[in-house]
Amino acid sequence: MVLRLQEYAKRRALASVISKLSDLLSDMSYPLDQGMREVQERLDSVVFGQQDTHVTLSQELDAMVQIIADNQDDATRHSGIMCGIPQIDETGGLPADGLVVIGAKTSHGKTAFATNLAIEALKQGKRIAFYSMEMSLHKVTSRILAMESGVNPNAIMRLKLSASDRQRALDTISRLKASVADQFYFDNSNVTDIVSLLLSIRAMKKKYGIDCVVVDYLQLMDDIPGKRNLTDNKKCAYITRQLHNLGRDLGLCTILLSQVNRNAPGMPTIANLRDSGEIEEAADLIIMLYNPDTDKVEYFPKPFDDVKAEGKIMVRFGKSRDDAPRSFLMGFRPDQMRIFSLNEQESHLVATQQELMWDNEE
């Protein structure tokens, strides 16, 4: 009876949502933005229930005491999400409740880089949700399988595999299913705009307790419902800010991929992000990627201009709130969608802050 009463109460609450929507449709003088927020708040109240959001400074100070105590022990230390890249993990990992923007030109490795981060976080016990605006679930899955097995993703999807490749792929499937595959989630519905994306992420958090979200990629998202007249710049700024706020509210690391202007020469900068708008303001960490091979360039730009580009990718922190900016090289196998740390002989391929300052002045 209690459960039935709870359901009845929710249905009555839904009536208020419908009533508000009806008012929005009939009253053209009512501010649309305000009305949309009110509808969203009422719907969230129905779906997630009423929560007391008021916190005192005293309560927060008690939390600080616990955090300080936890940080004395590596097993309970409050760090970010470990992603398998030493240059990121040694500074605390990806922000556990922040926005990470990965920018690159087309075919320069941004999807491979983000997927590698997500899979490594998955292996560390995190729960991941992946949203692709351009690839089918089969294609995303084939890339993950390629990363873990070393078998070309196009071959997995289209070709008759050799006996050894087929066995490697099947063994990898068995290993992933037995270990981490049930903690990696997709939404197979039509999630292509920011409103449906936010609702899906909230549902994933509520149902599965996800820790990290990957959105591939920003510029492919549909127009914002109720805001179809926005410029591309304003649209991207709005989407970025909404994802930043959601990550902060739900305690999620959000990895958002962004396209870079095609005519950007060499290693792109934050200014080259397409329709960048307020992306820099909203992001906690911006990672820029450059693969000279794609541009048919043999060597990297400064400070790695004496390093051949083949089999490597350049990574630069365009913005980091917790560490000085740096640049470094990683191994890259596009045929396997793998990005990996270089060996000890090549570990010096990390630019210091001073080198980057000199590079920027040049």
Side-chain angles (χ1 to χ4, degrees):
M1 178 60 73
V2 170
L3 291 174
R4 290 185 64 184
L5 287 173
Q6 287 178 332
E7 182 178 340
Y8 181 66
K10 284 189 175 183
R11 291 179 183 273
R12 291 192 61 183
L14 276 175
S16 71
V17 177
I18 296 170
S19 174
K20 189 64 190 178
L21 281 171
S22 177
D23 292 343
L24 262 179
L25 289 171
S26 59
D27 185 0
M28 299 300 292
S29 66
Y30 200 87
L32 183 60
D33 288 349
Q34 181 180 340
M36 292 285 288
R37 284 195 297 271
E38 291 174 0
V39 169
Q40 181 71 59
E41 289 170 1
R42 293 188 185 190
L43 186 60
D44 286 349
S45 176
V46 175
V47 176
F48 303 109
Q50 295 285 351
Q51 296 180 345
D52 184 3
T53 58
H54 301 163
V55 179
T56 67
L57 175 60
S58 178
Q59 290 172 303
E60 275 300 295
L61 290 173
D62 287 341
M64 290 299 105
V65 172
Q66 186 61 52
I67 288 174
I68 291 170
D70 289 345
N71 286 342
Q72 309 315 303
D73 180 3
D74 286 342
T76 58
R77 189 163 59 91
H78 287 253
S79 61
I81 294 178
M82 299 298 105
C83 61
I85 297 178
Q87 292 85 351
I88 296 177
D89 290 347
E90 67 190 16
T91 62
L94 301 173
D97 58 353
L99 177 64
V100 179
V101 174
I102 299 175
K105 291 183 281 188
T106 300
S107 301
H108 276 243
K110 60 182 179 294
T111 301
F113 190 84
T115 308
N116 275 263
L117 298 183
I119 293 299
E120 187 59 33
L122 186 71
K123 293 176 182 177
Q124 303 301 319
K126 303 302 181 182
R127 293 173 179 261
I128 312 296
F130 196 103
Y131 297 86
S132 176
M133 307 299 155
E134 65 172 343
M135 291 188 293
S136 68
L137 301 190
H138 286 346
K139 193 168 184 178
V140 174
T141 305
S142 72
R143 291 184 170 209
I144 294 172
L145 182 55
M147 286 165 43
E148 292 296 301
S149 67
V151 181
N152 186 289
N154 292 324
I156 291 172
M157 291 291 290
R158 297 182 176 89
L159 303 179
K160 182 176 180 180
L161 298 177
S162 66
S164 59
D165 281 354
R166 179 174 177 274
Q167 193 58 50
R168 272 193 296 161
L170 293 176
D171 288 345
T172 302
I173 290 172
S174 296
R175 173 172 58 82
L176 289 174
K177 285 178 62 66
S179 55
V180 296
D182 286 338
Q183 281 72 55
F184 196 103
Y185 304 95
F186 302 103
D187 189 333
N188 203 23
S189 62
N190 189 30
V191 180
T192 57
D193 63 75
I194 186 61
V195 174
S196 59
L197 177 63
L198 295 179
L199 288 172
S200 176
I201 292 172
R202 284 185 177 275
M204 289 269 198
K205 180 66 175 179
K206 181 72 173 179
K207 188 172 182 179
Y208 303 115
I210 56 173
D211 304 289
C212 181
V213 175
V214 178
V215 180
D216 181 14
Y217 60 87
L218 172 61
Q219 285 79 15
L220 283 181
M221 296 189 69
D222 289 344
D223 287 338
I224 303 165
K227 296 179 179 287
R228 299 186 184 278
N229 294 326
L230 289 181
T231 64
D232 287 343
N233 186 286
K234 293 295 185 182
K235 168 188 165 184
C236 291
Y238 180 85
I239 291 171
T240 306
R241 178 57 62 182
Q242 291 296 311
L243 289 173
H244 167 84
N245 292 342
L246 185 73
R248 181 194 61 193
D249 293 343
L250 298 184
L252 283 174
C253 174
T254 304
I255 301 174
L256 174 63
L257 278 58
S258 179
Q259 189 69 270
V260 167
N261 291 322
R262 294 176 182 270
N263 59 358
M267 180 72 197
T269 66
I270 294 176
N272 299 131
L273 287 172
R274 287 183 58 189
D275 308 311
S276 58
E278 299 176 8
I279 291 177
E280 182 178 2
E281 180 68 24
D284 296 274
L285 174 64
I286 298 179
I287 299 173
M288 307 301 293
L289 306 176
Y290 179 54
N291 178 16
D293 272 350
T294 304
D295 285 348
K296 303 187 185 307
V297 176
E298 190 175 358
Y299 287 87
F300 284 98
K302 292 179 180 179
F304 305 121
D305 46 322
D306 60 341
V307 180
K308 282 198 170 184
E310 184 178 3
K312 301 181 184 71
I313 190 171
M314 187 173 176
V315 184
R316 176 173 290 182
F317 290 174
K319 173 185 178 181
S320 175
R321 291 181 175 170
D322 301 316
D323 187 48
R326 70 174 74 190
S327 192
F328 55 94
L329 302 184
M330 298 194 70
F332 183 31
R333 288 289 304 271
D335 60 323
Q336 298 176 3
M337 300 303 297
R338 287 187 60 237
I339 292 178
F340 51 91
S341 296
L342 298 171
N343 57 39
E344 292 183 6
Q345 287 74 27
E346 297 171 307
S347 61
H348 67 286
L349 300 178
V350 177
T352 64
Q353 180 182 12
Q354 195 64 38
E355 287 172 320
L356 286 177
M357 290 172 63
W358 174 81
D359 183 24
N360 290 333
E361 289 173 1
E362 289 290 304

